[in-house]
Amino acid sequence: MATPNQAYRTLDAAGVRAYVANQAHLAERLGGTPATWQVREVSDGNLNMVFLAEGPAGGVCLKQALPHVRVDPSWKMPLDRTFFEAAYLREVFPHVPNLTTECLHFDPEQFILVVESLSSHTVLRTALMQGPVNPDIATRIGQFVARSTFATSLLAEPFEKVMNRRICFARNQTLTRITVDLILTDPYISHPRNHWAEPELTRVVNAIRANAALRARVDALRLHFLSNPQALLHGDLHTGSIMTTEDDTRVIDGEFATYGPIGFDAGLFIANVILSLFSSPSGQNSSLHINMINSFWQEFEKTFLTLW
Amino acid sequence: MATPNQAYRTLDAAGVRAYVANQAHLAERLGGTPATWQVREVSDGNLNMVFLAEGPAGGVCLKQALPHVRVDPSWKMPLDRTFFEAAYLREVFPHVPNLTTECLHFDPEQFILVVESLSSHTVLRTALMQGPVNPDIATRIGQFVARSTFATSLLAEPFEKVMNRRICFARNQTLTRITVDLILTDPYISHPRNHWAEPELTRVVNAIRANAALRARVDALRLHFLSNPQALLHGDLHTGSIMTTEDDTRVIDGEFATYGPIGFDAGLFIANVILSLFSSPSGQNSSLHINMINSFWQEFEKTFLTLW
């Protein structure tokens, strides 16, 4: 945003009801009258406000950027992250219509994004903590990564189209900075944002910080992340960005979208399945986690090569 | 250019005199009165009009984009290429002030770029055809490539600065398309723009076209060129883009500037020295050419590593 946006107001549940009522195509999707709608805040991620609005005919999910990190108001942040999430959905939805959500509405003044409601879905991270999940979920994520990255890469399109999309997403610098700092820098150094409750981790943390070869490798990966804009990435494809039912899987929260190496989305997913494995009580479900990684990779490779 | 620019007019020598006279800082550089200035067209490259204007105190070089390729009016082309050349000079001049020319003036309506005059210099391509040159020229080009690429890379700056510059130069698509087509695609296929006068070349051309491994390697290089924006490249660093005297070397014609792999500028320079070697009568000066390649590479490597 070049200039402060005086019209911006943070919505509450009543504001969401009024806002949806004013958008005919959204109101129609809910059906009934606004007074009959159920609106509840379900903000679960770290950054934004999220509301579900449901009526007799259906529901929508409304996401609004705050001028700061939701869970840390002292961490100021520009509002435009929902712009990039909306732009990401517009780019990839046609290629993965059954694996993410359609952008139903984007408001560039209030930085509100509206997508279909997934109120019957569970966050994959939660599902994995509760017990075994359908391993097909990983196959579907392999499809998602292959199709969304191939379609936005130089393998699918003249370079001019790819460059124009890169120009757009290269502005998503606030969230890319978070990736660079919180994923690719801070964990390997002493930083005030690093803390851990378990004293038995201290030895592991010190070993990582003392390992020059590992740190050089992370430096190279950080440079690779920033220097290889192969395709449009989701950029935050952990198990908290995936919602599932037994037979449906949707990738959400594309606000970190940026051009980068295709391996970044694939690596984040695999790494988060591994984290889930190590955090599960005494390694139960380890065959599930290993199956998920194999299924993901096989499907990703097969789909990508078929598209090529 | 989003809209046609009605104010644009192609200048002739009289127009150049009037234009320079109207820019106080340029007129002052020439000295004397406009009537005493010498203005001559020296267009030598393929794309643009180039004039030298000289007065008693000094001279300037004025370059104007045409709405088509200068040597082929049927090949229409947007005017903004001088914008990218001016932007390139602004970025790299501070890092290589004695190895390129300063941008003295840029006119975004007439697409006129004015730089210092190099009327006492010879184009390196011409100098190489005429006989031995000072091999230090290659050392200076090694300096130029190392300093200009390092300064604009992620090794020198926070990624936000690099991304903002990438956003600018990713719009230089018309000239990048020329590189992609004329350097990285057309020479390896049958294309109407390919022609050669020497029948003995036909066998070589056919061998190249039939060599699937070579063509796969070129495909990979083209993808690498478009997918690895490591640093701001000159993008057209052949021996015709370098002007020299015995003790001064300047890189000119940065209109192809784009973010890409650092090896592209280095490779173009080395390849053009090799072309010069093979086109010289019976390989005379081969030790000069080999020395130039070695000097270039040693200086490039030493300078880049020192900066790092």
Side-chain angles (χ1 to χ4, degrees):
Chain A
M1 299 178 296
T3 55
N5 174 355
Q6 299 296 341
Y8 171 84
R9 296 287 179 275
T10 304
L11 293 185
D12 58 11
V16 168
R17 188 187 309 274
Y19 188 87
V20 173
N22 270 328
Q23 305 288 335
H25 65 300
L26 301 179
E28 188 183 355
R29 181 174 279 260
L30 268 61
T33 61
T36 66
W37 298 344
Q38 290 216 329
V39 179
R40 56 197 164 108
E41 195 203 325
V42 293
S43 312
D44 186 38
N46 295 317
L47 294 177
N48 306 300
M49 301 292 290
V50 183
F51 297 88
L52 293 185
E54 311 210 305
V60 297
C61 172
L62 185 148
K63 187 168 183 175
Q64 185 179 33
L66 298 170
H68 52 76
V69 173
R70 186 179 66 87
V71 297
D72 179 1
S74 71
W75 188 341
K76 302 303 172 200
M77 188 159 286
L79 295 162
D80 58 6
R81 53 197 188 273
T82 46
F83 165 81
F84 293 107
E85 180 167 354
Y88 178 73
L89 288 180
R90 276 196 292 265
E91 293 291 345
V92 304
F93 180 78
H95 306 287
V96 282
N98 52 344
L99 294 168
T100 185
T101 55
E102 189 176 6
C103 174
L104 301 174
H105 178 76
F106 175 66
D107 180 334
E109 193 170 67
Q110 300 297 332
F111 293 95
I112 288 170
L113 167 70
V114 181
V115 298
E116 39 190 315
S117 169
L118 299 174
S119 57
S120 54
H121 291 58
T122 310
V123 175
L124 177 57
R125 178 174 296 155
T126 309
L128 280 165
M129 288 191 289
Q130 289 169 347
V133 301
N134 183 343
D136 284 353
I137 292 167
T139 308
R140 296 178 204 139
I141 300 302
Q143 279 275 338
F144 176 85
V145 175
R147 292 188 179 281
S148 62
T149 58
F150 183 88
T152 55
S153 80
L154 289 164
L155 301 175
E157 292 188 321
F159 82 81
E160 289 88 345
K161 283 200 163 192
V162 173
M163 286 226 180
N164 287 339
R165 227 187 279 108
R166 280 188 199 158
I167 288 170
C168 169
F169 288 94
R171 294 202 187 83
N172 195 10
Q173 293 175 8
T174 307
L175 271 64
T176 300
R177 172 53 74 188
I178 293 179
T179 300
V180 168
D181 288 349
L182 271 60
I183 298 187
L184 295 165
T185 307
D186 297 349
Y188 308 95
I189 60 175
S190 174
H191 190 281
R193 273 195 291 255
N194 294 334
H195 49 83
W196 54 95
E198 305 79 0
E200 61 269 33
L201 282 181
T202 303
R203 192 177 51 82
V204 181
V205 170
N206 289 339
I208 289 173
R209 289 184 185 166
N211 187 334
L214 182 146
R215 288 177 58 174
R217 182 78 188 120
V218 172
D219 283 351
L221 285 173
R222 189 174 57 243
L223 212 56
H224 184 68
F225 171 68
L226 292 166
S227 309
N228 290 270
Q230 291 180 320
L232 184 56
L233 307 183
H234 178 279
D236 195 31
L237 194 56
H238 54 65
T239 52
S241 298
I242 296 165
M243 299 194 70
T244 73
T245 63
E246 182 61 23
D247 54 8
D248 190 48
T249 300
R250 306 296 183 112
V251 173
I252 62 167
D253 286 353
E255 64 222 339
F256 281 82
T258 187
Y259 261 76
I262 295 168
F264 189 78
D265 275 355
L268 267 190
F269 177 73
I270 292 172
N272 274 272
V273 173
I274 293 172
L275 283 175
S276 168
L277 166 60
F278 279 101
S279 64
S280 67
S282 62
Q284 71 186 41
N285 301 327
S286 74
S287 66
L288 167 70
H289 289 83
I290 291 162
N291 280 347
M292 285 180 77
I293 293 170
N294 285 334
S295 301
F296 167 81
W297 186 256
Q298 282 167 21
E299 185 70 13
F300 167 74
E301 186 177 34
K302 187 183 80 177
T303 305
F304 199 91
L305 291 177
T306 304
L307 290 166
W308 197 350
Chain B
M1 300 177 297
T3 54
N5 174 357
Q6 299 296 341
Y8 171 85
R9 297 285 179 274
T10 304
L11 293 184
D12 58 12
V16 168
R17 186 187 309 272
Y19 188 87
V20 173
N22 270 327
Q23 304 288 334
H25 67 299
L26 301 179
E28 189 183 354
R29 180 174 279 259
L30 267 60
T33 60
T36 67
W37 298 345
Q38 290 216 330
V39 178
R40 55 196 163 108
E41 194 203 326
V42 293
S43 312
D44 186 37
N46 295 318
L47 293 178
N48 305 300
M49 302 291 290
V50 184
F51 297 89
L52 292 184
E54 311 211 304
V60 296
C61 173
L62 184 148
K63 187 169 183 176
Q64 185 178 33
L66 298 170
H68 52 77
V69 174
R70 186 180 66 87
V71 297
D72 179 1
S74 71
W75 188 341
K76 302 303 174 200
M77 186 159 287
L79 295 161
D80 58 6
R81 54 198 186 273
T82 47
F83 164 82
F84 293 107
E85 181 167 354
Y88 178 72
L89 288 180
R90 277 196 292 264
E91 293 291 345
V92 304
F93 180 78
H95 307 287
V96 283
N98 53 344
L99 293 168
T100 185
T101 55
E102 189 175 6
C103 174
L104 302 173
H105 177 75
F106 175 65
D107 180 333
E109 192 170 66
Q110 300 297 332
F111 292 95
I112 288 171
L113 167 71
V114 182
V115 298
E116 40 191 315
S117 169
L118 300 173
S119 58
S120 55
H121 291 58
T122 310
V123 174
L124 177 58
R125 178 175 295 154
T126 309
L128 280 166
M129 287 192 288
Q130 288 167 349
V133 300
N134 183 342
D136 285 353
I137 292 167
T139 308
R140 297 178 203 139
I141 301 301
Q143 279 275 338
F144 176 86
V145 175
R147 292 188 178 280
S148 62
T149 58
F150 182 87
T152 56
S153 79
L154 289 164
L155 302 175
E157 293 187 322
F159 82 81
E160 290 89 344
K161 282 201 164 191
V162 174
M163 286 227 182
N164 287 339
R165 227 187 278 107
R166 280 189 199 157
I167 287 169
C168 171
F169 289 94
R171 293 201 186 84
N172 196 10
Q173 293 175 7
T174 306
L175 270 64
T176 300
R177 171 53 73 186
I178 292 179
T179 300
V180 168
D181 287 350
L182 270 61
I183 297 187
L184 296 165
T185 308
D186 296 350
Y188 308 96
I189 59 174
S190 173
H191 190 280
R193 274 195 290 255
N194 295 334
H195 49 84
W196 54 94
E198 304 78 2
E200 60 271 32
L201 282 181
T202 304
R203 193 177 52 82
V204 180
V205 170
N206 288 339
I208 289 172
R209 289 183 183 166
N211 187 333
L214 183 146
R215 288 177 58 175
R217 182 79 188 119
V218 172
D219 283 351
L221 285 173
R222 190 174 57 242
L223 213 56
H224 184 67
F225 171 70
L226 291 167
S227 308
N228 290 268
Q230 290 180 321
L232 183 57
L233 306 183
H234 178 279
D236 195 30
L237 193 56
H238 54 65
T239 52
S241 297
I242 296 165
M243 298 194 70
T244 74
T245 63
E246 182 60 22
D247 55 8
D248 191 49
T249 300
R250 305 296 183 112
V251 173
I252 61 167
D253 287 354
E255 64 221 340
F256 282 82
T258 187
Y259 261 75
I262 295 168
F264 189 78
D265 274 356
L268 266 190
F269 177 72
I270 292 172
N272 274 271
V273 173
I274 294 172
L275 282 175
S276 169
L277 166 60
F278 279 102
S279 64
S280 67
S282 61
Q284 71 186 39
N285 302 325
S286 73
S287 66
L288 168 70
H289 289 83
I290 291 162
N291 281 345
M292 286 181 76
I293 293 171
N294 285 333
S295 301
F296 167 82
W297 186 257
Q298 282 166 21
E299 185 71 15
F300 166 74
E301 186 178 33
K302 187 183 79 178
T303 306
F304 199 92
L305 291 177
T306 303
L307 291 167
W308 195 349

